[in-house]
Amino acid sequence: MISEIPGFKGLNILVVGDLMLDYYWSGQTTRVSPEAPVPIVKVGKKEARAGGAGNVALNIASLAANVTLLGIVGDDNEALELQNLLEKKGVMCDFITSNHAPTTCKLRIVAQHQQLIRLDFEESLIDFDYSELLAHYKKALATADVVIFSDYAKGVLEHIPQLLELANKHGVKSFVDPKGTDFSRYQGATLITPNRAEFQAVVGVCNDSEQIISKGQALLAQHNIEALLVTLSEHGMALIKQSSSHFLPTHAREVFDVTGAGDTVIASMALGVASGLGLQHAMHLANMAAGIVVGKFGTSTVSSHELNRALHGDKENISGVVTEDELLNEINFAQQSGEKVVMTNGCFDILHAGHVAYLEQARLLGDRLVVAINSDASVQQLKGKSRPINKLADRMTIIAALGCVDWVIPFFEETPERIYNKFLPDVLVKGGDYKPEDVVGGEAVIKAGGKVKILDFVDGKSTTTTIERIKNQ
């Protein structure tokens, strides 16, 4: 078992394989078509993601390593869309354009987070210039710490024996996500990562772990492969070498979608080895990463922050009053996990029902709520010398105790513009009669892809009213 997540920054990983663009059209379905016994989906969201070798590269980039992605695309808009998706996430795309086949695309129709049908748009790669691919490969291999081959049987890795031979010649470890039943193509690889079905298609049905080990070791000897990592779905994974074997139970708490889990496994294994871990320790890393990614929908990635949380049993989870550095980490983690972060600000001097109603409404706009609270000096500037009634530390403690609030920070400027520019929440919430474009910090949030929402205050509920009522008693 590893005690810390290695640092991957500065590692150079080369990914070679089949590229594809995954489309997800999702919406609600409440009725069956009168034309045929099929559900009608009212599409409300369209999303594009990188699939195949592209998802492997994204997993590497999300862990802060340098990654070069080599593959073949069509001369079409889908290729440009795929490249744009990848480059935005830090992947260096080394694409070769084919004039004979389009970019492979998969369209998934989804309703209530369940995939109803998948439509594939692809043609076999024929007549592409392999010598051009080889030239690009040799150049990228020269600076690579490890190379990953992502084989989806689309044609890019038709000549993988020569590519593996070159990797061995240069002393570069090679990791293969295999396809098909002819594993002789992967001779000389450092590690191959079939799932159970792929493994059994080659060696025959395995009734127990002993058969997995014996047949796996025979396969390694037959094809001169150093190691084999068999992913066993809910039963975890098995690392098989000629002289030893290791089984790990699954690290997943809840399996939501296994799409792309194999991409995460091979990316994590390769990074672990490139950082200096042995295969067994790298397997622990890959098992944790797979356990995280199967809890997400569709082809997804995992971050170092998520891995650290998984390693430490979520002990790093922070809530309540936090520093700005702590909050930045928490927001990054939440957003990488697909959560929507809402943020608001205020004095919150004497807590009343209006405050609570406002904050509860704000929380309903997302998954996490951040409240920034004015310092004593800024409250005095806004409300006069007699305010605040409660000091900053007390106000933060009270707000942090509310169930709808996740994190609380102070700010000391006259306005919260700096903190909104720094944290860039998905939703900035303000109470009152503002227009979204007039809200301080709103411009930066909207520019980053977020939204500004205006909520009404509860009539008759305010700190000033409460103070006046007390004075009149």
Side-chain angles (χ1 to χ4, degrees):
M1 184 68 179
I2 58 176
S3 58
E4 293 295 335
I5 302 301
F8 303 120
K9 194 171 183 179
L11 296 176
N12 296 307
I13 313 300
L14 171 61
V15 179
V16 187
D18 297 300
L19 302 172
M20 55 195 72
L21 184 61
D22 289 346
Y23 289 113
Y24 292 86
W25 291 9
S26 57
Q28 297 294 314
T29 178
T30 57
R31 60 195 180 101
V32 175
S33 171
E35 303 166 358
V38 295
I40 296 173
V41 179
K42 184 178 181 182
V43 176
K45 180 180 179 183
K46 296 181 179 181
E47 183 181 8
R49 300 186 187 185
N55 191 46
V56 177
L58 284 177
N59 272 273
I60 293 166
S62 72
L63 290 168
N66 303 318
V67 57
T68 298
L69 176 60
L70 174 58
I72 298 172
V73 294
D75 185 11
D76 47 37
N77 290 330
E78 287 76 15
L80 296 175
E81 186 175 6
L82 177 60
Q83 184 170 345
N84 186 50
L85 282 171
L86 291 161
E87 289 181 343
K88 279 184 176 179
K89 299 294 184 179
V91 176
M92 206 292 282
C93 295
D94 188 1
F95 290 174
I96 298 170
T97 301
S98 167
N99 295 317
H100 302 284
T103 303
T104 296
C105 296
K106 297 179 180 180
L107 170 61
R108 294 171 174 88
I109 308 298
V110 179
Q112 280 86 26
H113 297 292
Q114 294 296 319
Q115 188 178 146
L116 300 183
I117 191 171
R118 192 184 88 183
L119 308 175
D120 290 2
F121 305 87
E122 63 182 44
E123 294 179 21
S124 299
L125 276 173
I126 54 174
D127 298 329
F128 75 89
D129 187 355
Y130 175 68
S131 63
E132 185 179 1
L133 177 72
L134 185 61
H136 284 241
Y137 174 74
K138 287 179 178 179
K139 182 178 179 180
L141 190 65
T143 57
D145 294 306
V146 298
V147 58
I148 298 173
F149 297 99
S150 184
D151 194 349
Y152 281 81
K154 306 301 181 186
V156 172
L157 295 178
E158 181 180 351
H159 301 279
I160 192 172
Q162 184 180 1
L163 303 180
L164 284 167
E165 184 180 351
L166 284 168
N168 288 330
K169 182 179 179 181
H170 286 80
V172 179
K173 293 184 180 296
S174 53
F175 298 77
V176 182
D177 187 357
K179 192 66 66 177
T181 57
D182 181 14
F183 280 15
S184 66
R185 302 173 62 242
Y186 308 125
Q187 181 172 329
T190 303
L191 179 85
I192 60 175
T193 62
N195 60 37
R196 185 169 196 152
E198 292 167 337
F199 177 65
Q200 291 187 140
V202 176
V203 304
V205 175
C206 299
N207 296 315
D208 53 39
S209 59
E210 290 184 3
Q211 288 189 343
I212 292 175
I213 295 169
S214 62
K215 292 184 178 184
Q217 289 177 336
L219 185 69
L220 296 178
Q222 181 182 2
H223 300 307
N224 188 31
I225 296 169
E226 183 179 333
L228 176 70
L229 183 74
V230 184
T231 52
L232 304 171
S233 189
E234 71 273 14
H235 299 295
M237 55 181 62
L239 176 65
I240 303 168
K241 297 187 284 187
Q242 283 289 0
S243 58
S244 62
S245 61
H246 306 277
F247 283 80
L248 277 181
T250 180
H251 204 274
R253 296 179 180 178
E254 181 180 358
V255 177
F256 186 69
D257 190 345
V258 298
T259 305
D263 299 332
T264 300
V265 167
I266 198 167
S268 310
M269 282 294 297
L271 279 170
V273 171
S275 68
L277 296 180
L279 286 173
Q280 188 176 349
H281 284 154
M283 177 178 66
H284 283 275
L285 182 73
N287 194 39
M288 283 193 298
I292 294 167
V293 82
V294 296
K296 303 179 181 182
F297 179 74
T299 50
S300 301
T301 62
V302 62
S303 67
S304 294
H305 199 55
E306 289 173 304
L307 285 173
N308 270 308
R309 285 205 167 163
L311 177 63
H312 297 291
D314 283 342
K315 290 178 182 177
E316 292 189 355
N317 188 36
I318 300 171
S319 61
V321 179
V322 295
T323 66
E324 289 194 10
D325 287 343
E326 289 171 335
L327 179 59
L328 195 59
N329 285 333
E330 294 301 315
I331 288 178
N332 287 338
F333 175 73
Q335 291 175 330
Q336 289 169 4
S337 302
E339 294 180 328
K340 184 182 291 185
V341 176
V342 182
M343 191 170 181
T344 190
N345 67 277
C347 301
F348 300 101
D349 194 358
I350 297 178
L351 188 67
H352 52 72
H355 287 144
V356 176
Y358 169 76
L359 294 174
E360 287 178 339
Q361 288 181 61
R363 176 57 184 272
L364 291 175
L365 297 173
D367 304 292
R368 300 282 188 169
L369 177 60
V370 184
V371 180
I373 299 184
N374 295 69
S375 67
D376 292 344
S378 64
V379 173
Q380 192 174 70
Q381 282 183 307
L382 291 169
K383 306 292 185 179
K385 293 184 178 181
S386 62
R387 303 279 296 276
I389 303 299
N390 293 304
K391 298 299 183 182
L392 175 62
D394 296 331
R395 289 182 282 125
M396 290 196 299
T397 299
I398 292 169
I399 294 298
L402 295 176
C404 60
V405 176
D406 293 282
W407 303 296
V408 177
I409 59 166
F411 69 96
F412 300 89
E413 299 87 355
E414 186 176 350
T415 76
E417 183 173 11
R418 179 189 63 82
I419 59 169
Y420 285 126
N421 291 348
K422 178 176 181 178
F423 296 112
L424 296 175
D426 299 292
V427 184
L428 190 167
V429 177
K430 191 69 178 175
D433 297 326
Y434 291 90
K435 293 182 179 179
E437 59 269 23
D438 296 331
V439 174
V440 170
E443 182 179 353
V445 170
I446 293 171
K447 187 176 181 180
K451 299 178 180 179
V452 176
K453 293 288 186 180
I454 308 300
L455 298 180
D456 293 329
F457 286 132
V458 178
D459 289 339
K461 303 292 184 181
S462 72
T463 300
T464 301
T465 302
T466 302
I467 292 173
E468 289 301 319
R469 189 179 299 118
I470 293 171
K471 287 180 178 180
N472 294 328
Q473 288 295 321

